[in-house]
Amino acid sequence: MTVRLQREDFDAGREAALLTHGRTDIGAVVTFTGICRGREAAGEIAAMTLEHYPGMAEAEIARHVEEAKSRWPLLGVTVIHRYGRLVPGDNIVLVVTTSAHRDAAFAAAEFLMDYLKTKAPFWKLEERAGETRWVEAKQSDGAAADRWRGKGRNEAAE
Amino acid sequence: MTVRLQREDFDAGREAALLTHGRTDIGAVVTFTGICRGREAAGEIAAMTLEHYPGMAEAEIARHVEEAKSRWPLLGVTVIHRYGRLVPGDNIVLVVTTSAHRDAAFAAAEFLMDYLKTKAPFWKLEERAGETRWVEAKQSDGAAADRWRGKGRNEAAE
Amino acid sequence: MKLVYFSWVRERVGKTQEDIAPPTGVMTVADLIGWLAARGEEYAYAFENPKIIRAAIDRTHVPPETAIAGAREIAFFPPMTGG
Amino acid sequence: MKLVYFSWVRERVGKTQEDIAPPTGVMTVADLIGWLAARGEEYAYAFENPKIIRAAIDRTHVPPETAIAGAREIAFFPPMTGG
């Protein structure tokens, strides 16, 4: 398991290759890359600054990676979340999951993204023409995260 | 949309970059890479040969990419499927989907993989110690593909 | 019309493709499978379990009750195992 | 104990962290929010809607009824928007 918080960009292909190199037990690799968009519901944005809770963010993400590993038969997980100021087109977050089969890799990647959107201690500040605004949490993200509650191994994505 | 059948390997990171380069409307990129495993249910395998129906395979995949685009608001899709002889650790298939939001990118990638596993005209021949054997279709793959039937836009992954 | 075979259907029939002219009573894909199965041991073996044979007419999947009239290329193969 | 603030809670309070010693009647996270809100205009503004304030004790999310006894670091922040 790799969990990293960093200002620097990441390379999704390289991170996936680090998980698969030299192995013959992995049948499925899923990568999710979240990217800063130039247009949100409230209009064009010029930039976005990601604040996080150092110390808590890394530990919390690691705990959820462990939960994903207990729910699905994963062979590897990498989560990288950037912080600091990003402009449209910049990478924000990467989740890579590997497993023998695709269902576990897909479900775990979605579970981790739903978690990162709603429970990981990060906050987005958008900059648009002359003003800044903290992004409000979306109800749809809360609903997406809630769908995993109380579901057991291998049945959460059904 | 890019659909390619080829003997050569592919680079998932490069294919994803081709879809996102210079754009600021994409918020989510999902890649799925299927890899040849060294051990299947029936034991160790030495190699696998993928046979396909030239002409039909490409057209059929393209048709399903169009279906995915009608179901979800996708901004780009790439599907690459290899054929010929592969050894454990080799890449087999790549699906890349991009969208403004993660739910569409995840759902479309899963939909396309379920389709490729069950309906795309490919057949796998496994080689193990001294013998070859055609891989049998899995019931679980059929069930995975069937879950998309009759479901409308944006509700298929629920 | 042209027939093409894949995977173990191809191996059992012993050829990748052939041109055939079935009699007029052979109307559907299922009829064609029955007619082929009676052509010899290799065909009987390939089509011994018609329920698991998949067919495509002119590169589109079709169910066994589909009429073959007008078909240029009919393909027979086992369930697909791609991905 | 140490308090830390993030996002607009930090901006409204006007500091990133501070050390406090609440009176003994302040038992829970909810009590602490009420006590803080009465400390001045900037706190009243930051905590004007306690229902949307999230809290963590020693870097673990906790609900408002959680006891604060023994806490080393308590964090307050709005709903998270990562990912």
Side-chain angles (χ1 to χ4, degrees):
Chain A
M1 185 210 330
T2 298
V3 174
R4 289 208 311 270
L5 305 185
Q6 61 189 41
R7 283 190 187 276
E8 305 74 44
D9 195 13
F10 52 76
D11 179 334
R14 186 176 162 278
E15 297 298 332
L18 286 172
L19 291 182
T20 57
H21 184 72
R23 299 183 70 146
T24 59
D25 54 343
I26 292 171
V29 182
V30 170
T31 75
F32 176 89
T33 307
I35 299 178
C36 178
R37 295 192 300 143
R39 171 171 278 277
E40 293 291 341
E44 301 281 328
I45 73 159
M48 194 174 74
T49 299
L50 264 153
E51 179 172 336
H52 74 295
Y53 186 170
M56 179 170 172
E58 209 151 350
E60 265 276 303
I61 294 172
R63 208 162 57 75
H64 281 79
V65 170
E66 288 302 331
E67 184 176 342
K69 288 169 76 176
S70 74
R71 282 174 179 248
W72 296 283
L74 302 175
L75 294 169
V77 178
T78 295
V79 177
I80 300 175
H81 204 305
R82 295 179 72 186
Y83 58 86
R85 189 166 183 275
L86 305 172
V87 297
D90 280 353
N91 289 327
I92 302 172
V93 61
L94 174 70
V95 169
V96 187
T97 55
T98 63
S99 182
H101 300 288
R102 73 189 184 287
D103 49 355
F106 271 123
E110 289 188 68
F111 167 83
L112 287 168
M113 279 310 305
D114 286 346
Y115 156 71
L116 288 167
K117 284 269 175 189
T118 54
K119 302 278 174 58
F122 290 86
W123 300 273
K124 286 177 181 154
L125 181 72
E126 288 176 357
E127 295 171 35
R128 47 170 56 83
E131 60 171 15
T132 62
R133 194 185 70 113
W134 290 98
V135 174
E136 281 181 42
K138 280 191 223 162
Q139 287 218 316
S140 61
D141 283 331
D146 285 347
R147 72 186 155 136
W148 304 100
R149 269 203 199 157
K151 294 199 177 175
R153 186 179 172 110
N154 288 337
E155 60 183 345
E158 303 304 312
Chain B
M1 184 213 327
T2 298
V3 174
R4 290 210 307 273
L5 305 186
Q6 60 189 42
R7 282 189 187 276
E8 305 75 45
D9 196 13
F10 52 76
D11 179 335
R14 185 176 163 276
E15 297 298 333
L18 286 173
L19 290 183
T20 57
H21 184 71
R23 299 183 69 146
T24 59
D25 55 343
I26 292 171
V29 183
V30 170
T31 74
F32 176 89
T33 307
I35 300 177
C36 179
R37 295 192 300 143
R39 169 171 280 278
E40 294 290 341
E44 302 281 328
I45 72 158
M48 193 172 74
T49 299
L50 265 151
E51 180 173 337
H52 74 296
Y53 186 170
M56 179 169 173
E58 210 152 348
E60 265 276 302
I61 294 172
R63 207 163 58 75
H64 281 79
V65 171
E66 288 302 331
E67 184 175 343
K69 289 169 77 176
S70 74
R71 282 173 179 249
W72 296 283
L74 303 175
L75 294 169
V77 178
T78 296
V79 177
I80 300 175
H81 204 306
R82 295 179 70 187
Y83 58 86
R85 190 166 182 275
L86 305 172
V87 298
D90 280 352
N91 289 326
I92 302 172
V93 62
L94 173 69
V95 170
V96 187
T97 56
T98 64
S99 182
H101 300 288
R102 73 188 184 288
D103 49 356
F106 271 124
E110 288 188 70
F111 167 83
L112 286 168
M113 279 310 305
D114 286 346
Y115 156 70
L116 288 166
K117 284 271 176 189
T118 54
K119 302 276 174 59
F122 290 86
W123 300 272
K124 286 177 180 152
L125 180 72
E126 289 176 357
E127 295 172 34
R128 47 170 57 84
E131 60 171 15
T132 62
R133 194 186 70 115
W134 290 99
V135 175
E136 282 182 40
K138 280 192 223 161
Q139 286 219 315
S140 61
D141 284 330
D146 285 345
R147 71 185 156 135
W148 305 100
R149 270 204 199 155
K151 293 197 178 177
R153 186 179 172 111
N154 289 336
E155 60 182 348
E158 304 304 313
Chain C
M1 63 187 52
K2 181 177 165 190
L3 299 187
V4 294
Y5 307 109
F6 294 98
S7 183
W8 53 254
V9 176
R10 170 180 55 72
E11 289 183 337
R12 291 181 182 187
V13 168
K15 52 185 91 168
T16 59
Q17 61 178 73
E18 61 184 320
D19 287 301
I20 54 140
T24 46
V26 174
M27 314 272 285
T28 66
V29 169
D31 293 345
L32 182 58
I33 288 175
W35 180 74
L36 285 167
R39 286 179 95 202
E41 257 180 36
E42 67 275 32
Y43 291 94
Y45 181 36
F47 296 101
E48 67 182 358
N49 189 356
K51 277 202 290 196
I52 59 170
I53 299 292
R54 303 286 182 268
I57 293 184
D58 295 331
R59 302 177 176 180
T60 300
H61 293 292
V62 294
E65 64 273 19
T66 308
I68 61 171
R72 287 182 305 271
E73 179 174 298
I74 302 182
F76 292 108
F77 41 78
M80 285 78 46
T81 55
Chain D
M1 64 188 51
K2 179 178 164 189
L3 299 188
V4 294
Y5 307 110
F6 294 97
S7 183
W8 54 255
V9 176
R10 169 180 57 70
E11 288 182 338
R12 291 180 180 187
V13 168
K15 51 185 92 168
T16 58
Q17 60 178 74
E18 62 183 320
D19 285 304
I20 53 139
T24 47
V26 174
M27 314 272 285
T28 66
V29 168
D31 294 344
L32 182 58
I33 288 174
W35 179 74
L36 285 167
R39 287 180 95 201
E41 256 179 38
E42 68 275 32
Y43 290 96
Y45 181 37
F47 295 101
E48 67 183 356
N49 189 355
K51 276 201 291 196
I52 60 169
I53 299 291
R54 301 287 181 268
I57 292 183
D58 295 330
R59 303 179 176 180
T60 300
H61 293 291
V62 294
E65 64 274 18
T66 309
I68 62 171
R72 288 182 305 272
E73 179 174 298
I74 302 182
F76 291 109
F77 41 78
M80 284 76 50
T81 55

